[in-house]
Amino acid sequence: AQVPVIFEPRVAVRMLSLLVGAINGESVVRGTSLLADHVGKQVAAADLSVFEDPFRKRGQGSRPFDGEGLPVKANTLFDKGVLTMHLHNLATAKQAGVAPTGHASRGGASIGVGFSNTWLSPSEKSVEDMMKDAGEAFYVTSLMGQGANMITGDYSQGATGFWIRNGELAEPVESMTLGGKLEDMWMAMSAASDLTFYGGMGTPTIQMTGLTIAGA
């Protein structure tokens, strides 16, 4: 079936990670990101933005400089659905022929690309209203497996949660499979008002349409 899929914030963070992961400079220069040539293009719904603030008070990812000592700044990574930048350290920036963006992440002796205190913009719609407008939908509380091919955009992942009937949570469901294309999912994504942070990332409840749901 194809019905709206609603992800609670704790699970929605994983969906946001896929979007932000697609602009990682390491993937961009290797040609393993479907957003490698999409700067300046509409890649998500026009009423959604993604922000990063390394100076957020008490933020888990707050820092005055990146893993290579370069200064950091607040960024709008996606502005009303338009991709504004890729994330680079010194090495990936040199390979891409652009300036570093202050996103070096140090782990032991290795340096990668990371981000800090990133969140998806909430709307003014309550979760209750989102569910009522959806009517019949799948409310996801847990995801299983990786499930995303960042080159082709193919997405398939196991999920459990609750069925929504008449805009309200009904019976629990498990062993379901979600399938779709990331590009379509991002363009059909909408958010509720309940922005919640988990570590250095935050999202409200999100809804996506166009996903195929299968299960016994």
Side-chain angles (χ1 to χ4, degrees):
Q2 283 196 346
V3 298
V5 180
I6 298 176
F7 300 85
E8 71 169 15
R10 181 172 51 86
V11 182
V13 164
R14 294 183 62 178
M15 306 306 292
L16 177 60
S17 295
L18 292 176
L19 179 60
V20 178
I23 63 174
N24 183 303
E26 292 180 314
S27 298
V28 170
V29 298
R30 288 198 303 262
T32 57
S33 169
L34 71 165
L35 298 184
D37 58 351
H38 282 58
V39 172
K41 297 181 181 179
Q42 191 86 32
V43 298
D47 55 350
L48 295 178
S49 297
V50 178
F51 305 103
E52 177 193 31
D53 184 3
F55 307 113
R56 186 172 181 269
K57 189 174 182 180
R58 297 188 181 90
Q60 185 168 314
S62 296
R63 56 186 183 178
F65 47 81
D66 73 355
E68 294 173 320
L70 296 182
V72 295
K73 63 183 181 68
N75 297 293
T76 300
L77 305 180
F78 296 84
D79 187 8
K80 296 180 179 179
V82 176
L83 173 60
T84 64
M85 62 187 295
H86 292 137
L87 312 183
H88 288 288
N89 58 25
L90 286 170
T92 62
K94 184 176 182 179
Q95 293 178 66
V98 299
T101 60
H103 287 92
S105 175
R106 185 178 295 275
S110 63
I111 295 179
V113 174
F115 50 88
S116 62
N117 300 332
T118 302
W119 69 94
L120 179 70
S121 60
S123 72
E124 296 182 355
K125 176 180 283 190
S126 68
V127 178
E128 292 76 18
D129 286 341
M130 175 179 281
M131 291 169 54
K132 288 178 182 177
D133 290 344
E136 185 172 8
F138 181 29
Y139 183 81
V140 178
T141 59
S142 178
L143 290 171
M144 296 164 284
Q146 298 300 318
N149 186 318
M150 301 308 294
I151 301 177
T152 65
D154 293 325
Y155 173 80
S156 178
Q157 200 161 23
T160 61
F162 295 87
W163 204 252
I164 296 175
R165 297 186 188 280
N166 299 318
E168 296 183 351
L169 292 180
E171 69 273 14
V173 291
E174 62 179 5
S175 301
M176 304 292 279
T177 300
L178 305 177
K181 297 288 287 187
L182 290 174
E183 304 99 309
D184 299 333
M185 293 162 58
W186 294 332
M187 290 296 292
M189 184 165 59
S190 59
S193 59
D194 57 334
L195 176 62
T196 308
F197 275 84
Y198 295 93
M201 298 191 75
T203 72
T205 297
I206 63 172
Q207 175 180 303
M208 292 179 174
T209 58
L211 282 165
T212 298
I213 305 171

